[in-house]
Amino acid sequence: MFLPFTVACGVFMTSLDQNVVVTALPGIGESLARPPSQLGLLITVYVASLIISMPLGGWLADRFGLRNVYCFALLVFASASALCGLSENIWTLVGPRALQGFGGALMGTLGQIVILSSFPRDRTLKINMYISLAGQSGPLVGPLVGGALTTYVSWRWIFYINIPIALIAALFAASLFPSTTKPVRTPFDFPGFLLVGSGMALLVFGMDTLAARDAAGSSIALELGLAIAILTVAAFYCLRARNPLLDLNLLRIRTFRISFLTGGGLDTIGLSSVVFLLPLMFQLGFGMSAVQAGSLTFVAAIGSLLMRFFMPRILNRFGFRRVLITNTPIAALLVAGFALLQASTPTWIVLAYIFVFGLVRSIQWASTGNLSYSDIAPEQLSRFSALYYILWQLAVAISVGLAAALLSLLASGGQASINDYRILFVIEGLITLCALSAYLRLTPQDGAHVSGHGAHTGTD
């Protein structure tokens, strides 16, 4: 099981570094003589680089081999982390952060490929449960780690801690990962990369500007409008190109389309918003400190961890369709239910509620994540992985940008009140509930060869 552990290390580092910078921004700003409000680029450039580079993973793996490219990605990530820690100004920090995103993108896409190509589908369910936990722990662990290291050691150590993890993972990858390359090597799709990359970058930066609330509405509309126009052209190109960098034809596979677009895309937007909104409500609305807020929200990670032990049995017993149809309304209700919390609510009730939310969110994401690859053919794995991670990152970016924009609208550009947060939690709950219409189109047999559902009764 060292191979899944190696992949999990890469996924965790990629997710952690997307969030660890948040609580460290005041310390970084003080060290580099920049106000924290000017350091949002450190987060945005990482996400943009991550999304732009994801389509490269599959082509590089086919061309140079999984093992070689994965080890290269780990070394790039370690080197970039060292450069981040040694930086002396904002621009010598921004550059390595973009390089981190490049390495993280390759680790994310290639890790999924190596798991699906190394194990039979009836074993990947349990393996992916633990690997996805590593990725989902990043948004919860990141702020705590960043805050603790910045407070008690130095903000530079939020980057230095990646180095030994990446080097150890590289040693394991060098000995465990397959080194084969495909005999037929397709040319690199430069037009597709330029279209997809520029469109994704504009969309991510546009959503970040939307979240920052400090730009003119016309400039935000222009940025997002241009992003949508470029991505529309990119979509038509990818659908018609012979060997596109991003294979949108995979969306014709019904289980993938439902689990990661029409259904999974909506509930990811709704559920991801909680990670953004809850700490803000606790700190700005209830007057908690960053450590108090982070400690409370971290309980969701404990719930996610515990649920991972039961998910294979749950999916085996009930199947993807029944689990998602039952769990989606519960998840939506829990998201909306955060509106009922008050500053006077006993701590044990808040902890219990967040813990249950972590359980339910884990069920939702584990189900959609494993259903998404159930009908993907072996020769489609590299293209599936690139599209999978791009859709996931876009959903998270849209979630944060949309939540910030709605919060600003409700607060009329001023300081948000408790009622503003409550209204927004209800809206996010409704967005999550909309995913149910897509899951109702699933059949009891969908994903059965992954979950094993029906095997005990002798049905397909």
Side-chain angles (χ1 to χ4, degrees), residues 199-200 202-203 221-235:
M200 294 291 183
L202 281 170
L203 184 61
L222 178 62
E223 200 168 8
L224 291 176
L226 186 59
I228 293 173
I230 293 176
L231 288 176
T232 301
V233 174

Side-chain angles (χ1 to χ4, degrees), residues 93-253:
L93 184 53
V94 167
R97 280 289 284 172
L99 195 59
Q100 271 192 320
F102 171 71
L106 297 185
M107 287 190 290
T109 53
L110 298 184
Q112 182 81 346
I113 295 172
V114 77
I115 292 296
L116 296 180
S117 60
S118 300
F119 298 94
R121 295 297 170 94
D122 58 354
R123 290 188 61 192
T124 54
L125 175 62
K126 184 177 292 186
I127 292 171
N128 276 331
M129 293 297 176
Y130 297 103
I131 292 177
S132 61
L133 174 64
Q136 294 168 19
S137 297
L140 300 171
V141 176
L144 282 178
V145 172
L149 288 175
T150 302
T151 301
Y152 301 113
V153 188
S154 167
W155 64 265
R156 300 181 185 277
W157 280 94
I158 68 176
F159 301 111
Y160 289 150
I161 59 172
N162 292 320
I163 300 173
I165 299 175
L167 293 179
I168 292 172
L171 290 176
F172 279 117
S175 60
L176 297 174
F177 277 36
S179 59
T180 55
T181 58
K182 287 192 173 182
V184 178
R185 297 172 177 175
T186 58
F188 183 71
D189 181 18
F190 279 107
F193 177 72
L194 291 175
L195 285 171
V196 173
S198 59
M200 294 291 183
L202 281 170
L203 184 61
V204 171
F205 281 105
M207 296 306 297
D208 180 70
T209 304
L210 196 65
R213 296 170 286 177
D214 58 359
S218 58
S219 64
I220 296 174
L222 178 62
E223 200 168 8
L224 291 176
L226 186 59
I228 293 173
I230 293 176
L231 288 176
T232 301
V233 174
F236 280 108
Y237 170 83
C238 289
L239 287 171
R240 297 185 178 186
R242 184 175 180 181
N243 294 299
L245 191 68
L246 207 59
D247 189 2
L248 296 183
N249 287 300
L250 291 174
L251 292 175
R252 294 176 179 173
I253 300 175

Side-chain angles (χ1 to χ4, degrees), residues 414-426:
Q415 181 68 40
S417 66
I418 290 295
N419 286 333
D420 295 330
Y421 287 103
R422 289 171 177 163
I423 293 172
L424 191 48
F425 274 121
V426 173

Side-chain angles (χ1 to χ4, degrees), residues 313-386:
R313 290 185 179 182
I314 291 173
L315 289 173
N316 179 270
R317 176 67 180 85
F318 299 105
F320 286 105
R321 184 181 190 275
R322 190 182 299 180
V323 169
L324 286 169
I325 288 176
T326 303
N327 195 70
T328 301
I330 298 174
L333 187 63
L334 286 172
V335 172
F338 281 110
L340 300 176
L341 296 182
Q342 301 179 27
S344 59
T345 304
T347 302
W348 71 268
I349 293 180
V350 177
L351 287 172
Y353 193 92
I354 296 175
F355 176 79
V356 173
F357 171 75
L359 293 176
V360 172
R361 185 184 60 183
S362 180
I363 294 174
Q364 195 76 9
W365 281 347
S367 299
T368 56
N370 284 279
L371 177 62
S372 65
Y373 68 80
S374 60
D375 293 324
I376 301 296
E379 65 273 11
Q380 297 174 315
L381 288 179
S382 61
R383 290 171 287 160
F384 155 77
S385 186

